[in-house]
Amino acid sequence: MTSIDLNADLGEGFGRWQLTDDERLLSVVTSANVACGFHAGDAATMRRVCEQAAERGVRIGAQVSYRDLAGFGRRAMDVPPAELAAEVAYQIGALEVFARAAGTRVSYVKPHGALYNRVVHDEEQAGAVVDGVLLADATLPVLGLPGARLLELAAKAGLPAVTEAFADRAYTERGTLVPRGQDGAVVTDPEAVVARSVGLARSGVVTSHSGTNVEVRARSLCLHGDTPGAVELARRVRARLEESGVRVEAFV
């Protein structure tokens, strides 16, 4: 039976401000990418999400990013490799404290926003992320876009490299994500997102922004927690996947 992991970006709040419906999304997804304080999240939020994830058996992932709270980690930044490696390790370590306190652990690492897109092609920044993961825990899987330099370097370093697809993001003909600043970068039609999810899980193919089919073989499928109606959409995606004979389960 075909299987796929469902992940969502969670814990993206700060202080009294909350962006994602963490508790309800944790009843649907199998993996949670938890913000570690650099693009969103704070200590109390990280602790709460780890406790809720542990209660539901959801795997916890460290969603590491550039230090950019004001820009939600979506602004391009040039960070020296040694500094970036240390900051990646720092974020993983912070989340690990709360994961262990909840009786579980950090199970994988996924970059966020501008860093996620940068390490698709930038070898220096990708290498810095890998170095940071190795510094924190040399057994952690790394989640990223198929064909990304990050996954190539992670595999060379002995880290499990896990491919990821996006049901609610538009793809270019090269299999990369359409930049958020462009029209149509985010797929907003719920039925289209559901259909794309099934197609990605069963055939590893998605229709690009220009209308051509692109091969995107992925072990994990991301649904953005900050999308309007994210919880209901996630439920529809999971239900349709299971109806289509796809087993939804964590990749770790």
Side-chain angles (χ1 to χ4, degrees):
M1 178 184 287
T2 300
S3 66
I4 198 162
D5 170 63
L6 280 184
N7 77 72
D9 302 344
L10 301 179
E12 292 183 325
F14 193 83
R16 297 177 61 184
W17 175 73
Q18 186 172 333
L19 178 64
T20 50
D21 190 341
D22 300 327
E23 189 168 7
R24 291 204 296 161
L25 279 167
L26 283 167
S27 69
V28 183
V29 300
T30 48
S31 296
N33 317 315
V34 183
C36 299
F38 273 37
H39 76 279
D42 55 30
T45 302
M46 291 160 69
R47 180 180 183 181
R48 184 183 68 250
V49 175
C50 284
E51 289 172 348
Q52 293 172 344
E55 289 172 1
R56 292 163 177 77
V58 175
R59 301 298 186 268
I60 294 170
Q63 189 166 41
V64 299
S65 74
Y66 289 126
R67 188 188 293 270
D68 180 27
L69 274 175
F72 198 63
R74 288 178 175 165
R75 298 185 293 190
M77 303 183 75
D78 290 313
V79 180
E83 182 178 337
L84 180 57
E87 292 188 339
V88 166
Y90 178 91
Q91 292 174 78
I92 297 168
L95 189 63
E96 179 70 5
V97 168
F98 298 117
R100 287 191 178 275
T104 183
R105 56 163 299 192
V106 171
S107 295
Y108 65 95
V109 178
K110 174 185 172 179
H112 165 82
L115 181 58
Y116 186 95
N117 291 310
R118 181 76 171 267
V119 297
V120 170
H121 57 81
D122 190 314
E123 182 160 359
E124 186 177 69
Q125 295 285 279
V129 172
V130 170
D131 287 344
V133 176
L134 291 171
L135 183 60
D137 184 340
T139 68
L140 287 175
V142 177
L143 195 60
L145 210 63
R149 294 294 292 149
L150 172 67
L151 295 190
E152 182 180 341
L153 295 178
K156 286 182 179 179
L159 298 170
V162 182
T163 53
E164 177 184 39
F166 294 82
D168 54 3
R169 289 294 309 278
Y171 280 83
T172 69
E173 294 180 352
R174 296 177 297 168
T176 56
L177 300 179
V178 173
R180 280 185 174 270
Q182 293 186 20
D183 290 341
V186 179
V187 180
T188 56
D189 177 27
E191 187 54 39
V193 173
V194 171
R196 286 161 66 92
S197 299
V198 175
L200 284 163
R202 292 188 60 84
S203 64
V205 173
V206 67
T207 302
S208 74
H209 195 46
S210 62
T212 59
N213 286 336
V214 179
E215 184 175 333
V216 182
R217 299 283 177 182
R219 181 65 189 87
S220 186
L221 184 65
C222 180
L223 296 169
H224 284 95
D226 59 345
T227 302
V231 175
E232 183 56 34
L233 180 59
R235 287 174 175 160
R236 288 181 60 183
V237 166
R238 178 159 187 164
R240 186 73 64 83
L241 285 169
E242 292 173 338
E243 290 167 2
S244 302
V246 178
R247 184 174 61 247
V248 179
E249 62 181 3
F251 64 84
V252 287

